[in-house]
Amino acid sequence: MPPSAILIVAFDGVQSLDLTGPLEVFTGANAYFAGCGGGPAYRISVATMGAAPVRTSSGLTIVPDTDLRDAPDPHTLVVPGGDGTRSAGPAVDELTGWLQRHAPRAQRITSVCTGAFLLARAGLLAGRRVTTHWAYADALAREFPETTVDPEPVYVRDGAIVTSAGVTAGIDLALALVEDDVGREAALCVARHLVVFLRRPGGQAQFSAQLRAQLARREPLREVQQWISERPAADLSVDSLAARAGLSPRHFARSFATETGMTPGRYVDRVRLEAARRGLEDTGDGIEQVARYCGYGTPEAMRRAFIRALGVSPAGYRQRFQSPARLSTPRKARADRDPAL
């Protein structure tokens, strides 16, 4: 099978990791097949207008392979983000015009981070569900109201268009594409080489529960946040948490919401859901076990939480996202090897 053409667009102000993350993944897939005695899976090019070197937002200079004006139609088009996507001027207008004319010829159109703004300006995201970096999701939704912007997922597929969250999410996106194209084993090999997880599921939130919430200013509340994350199966009622913080339940609930941006109950729900997702992805434990050590008590309670938050049952989630390497590895066995578990 001939290699699939990957065309990565570059421009002044591009975010370097938005570009080099996917580039390293696709190049790693080629190295995997070379090690197996096969030919490359991808023919990868980085292109700019006029084949001119560009300066990234961090000051790195990138020398392209080819002139974007002369580039043949690719199988997969990758549009990274960066400060340059939010600027105005002839260069951005020319790039937008190129995308309007040429992007629809690609079999797969992808963006990383604020690269979604370029696709939206080119009229490619109207009527689509997309994502971008969490910090720019509201701006994308305001500027392009015909587009449905979901700030939560790591990446979103809508037909032939795949958009991803910020920076390192481009690696997750590229790994998912490699898995689609040439198989899970190749993607796993690349992930191991890059020392990353095989890939975060596309539906996984950009932030963990701990990052999503603000860190409380006062030490007792910060200690409670840590307690919750380390012991999802404990008694995490407001009364119990308030006693741990040395506050009345009413004062604790009000202070926690003010300092973290969410109620104690909502924070506990998100921590438990995140712990359950990790348990389903990374262990061979039964659903009943996962429900118990994540604080749900019963599988039915966990099932309701998953349906409400993710639109899929725990069994369905595991079927889609569990790594084969974890299928037969119970949590207890892994904990014996890694006390942090």
Side-chain angles (χ1 to χ4, degrees):
M1 181 181 296
S4 297
I6 305 285
L7 183 64
I8 305 176
V9 175
F11 46 85
D12 281 319
V14 69
Q15 214 287 341
S16 56
L17 194 54
D18 284 5
L19 188 155
T20 58
L23 177 63
E24 291 290 346
V25 170
F26 294 126
T27 302
N30 284 346
Y32 168 80
F33 283 104
C36 298
Y42 300 106
R43 186 176 69 255
I44 311 159
S45 298
V46 177
T48 66
M49 286 297 180
V54 294
R55 190 173 178 83
T56 72
S57 57
S58 60
L60 178 70
T61 297
I62 292 179
V63 179
D65 301 302
T66 188
D67 186 342
L68 195 56
R69 301 184 188 99
D70 300 329
D73 296 336
H75 175 276
T76 300
L77 178 68
V78 180
V79 181
D83 295 341
T85 64
R86 309 300 312 284
S87 60
V92 174
D93 291 342
E94 185 178 14
L95 177 55
T96 301
W98 185 92
L99 289 169
Q100 286 175 327
R101 295 188 302 274
H102 295 276
R105 301 177 187 174
Q107 294 183 44
R108 198 163 54 192
I109 304 169
T110 72
S111 68
V112 182
C113 195
T114 54
F117 281 83
L118 294 175
L119 295 184
R121 288 193 195 106
L124 299 168
L125 301 186
R128 302 277 188 174
R129 175 175 170 262
V130 304
T131 194
T132 188
H133 190 292
W134 62 269
Y136 298 100
D138 287 345
L140 184 65
R142 285 195 306 271
E143 192 171 340
F144 303 99
E146 71 280 11
T147 300
T148 300
V149 181
D150 188 343
E152 294 283 338
V154 173
Y155 59 86
V156 169
R157 297 176 189 260
D158 189 329
I161 295 180
V162 193
T163 53
S164 78
V167 197
T168 59
I171 295 175
D172 298 290
L173 169 62
L175 285 168
L177 298 182
V178 167
E179 185 175 345
D180 288 347
D181 294 341
V182 293
R184 191 175 182 85
E185 187 58 37
L188 180 58
C189 181
V190 175
R192 285 171 175 162
H193 177 72
L194 296 177
V195 198
V196 296
F197 291 112
L198 170 56
R199 64 177 172 88
R200 289 177 288 177
Q204 189 177 86
Q206 295 187 31
F207 280 150
S208 67
Q210 291 88 341
L211 289 177
R212 186 189 306 273
Q214 303 168 38
L215 186 66
R217 293 188 302 274
R218 284 182 284 177
E219 186 64 29
L221 296 181
R222 287 201 301 271
E223 290 179 355
V224 166
Q225 285 180 286
Q226 185 67 24
W227 172 268
I228 293 170
S229 66
E230 292 176 351
R231 300 167 178 82
D235 177 4
L236 301 180
S237 64
V238 169
D239 287 350
S240 176
L241 297 176
R244 177 160 293 278
L247 301 171
S248 71
R250 183 177 180 183
H251 187 194
F252 168 77
R254 184 170 60 247
S255 299
F256 190 96
T258 299
E259 296 198 20
T260 68
M262 64 179 66
T263 65
R266 185 168 177 79
Y267 187 82
V268 167
D269 287 345
R270 289 188 167 180
V271 167
R272 283 177 169 158
L273 183 67
E274 184 177 309
R277 291 169 73 163
R278 287 199 306 268
L280 293 171
E281 293 168 20
D282 296 342
T283 77
D285 292 345
I287 289 175
E288 185 173 354
Q289 291 174 281
V290 174
R292 185 171 60 252
Y293 64 65
C294 291
Y296 286 107
T298 67
E300 176 58 24
M302 187 169 77
R303 190 190 71 82
R304 289 196 300 268
F306 267 65
I307 294 294
R308 182 170 59 250
L310 305 175
V312 65
S313 69
Y317 184 89
R318 164 168 274 172
Q319 185 176 16
R320 292 174 60 189
F321 297 131
Q322 186 175 53
S323 167
R326 301 295 192 182
L327 285 173
S328 60
T329 309
R331 183 174 185 269
K332 183 179 186 304
R334 292 198 303 117
D336 291 341
R337 297 195 302 268
D338 185 353
L341 297 171

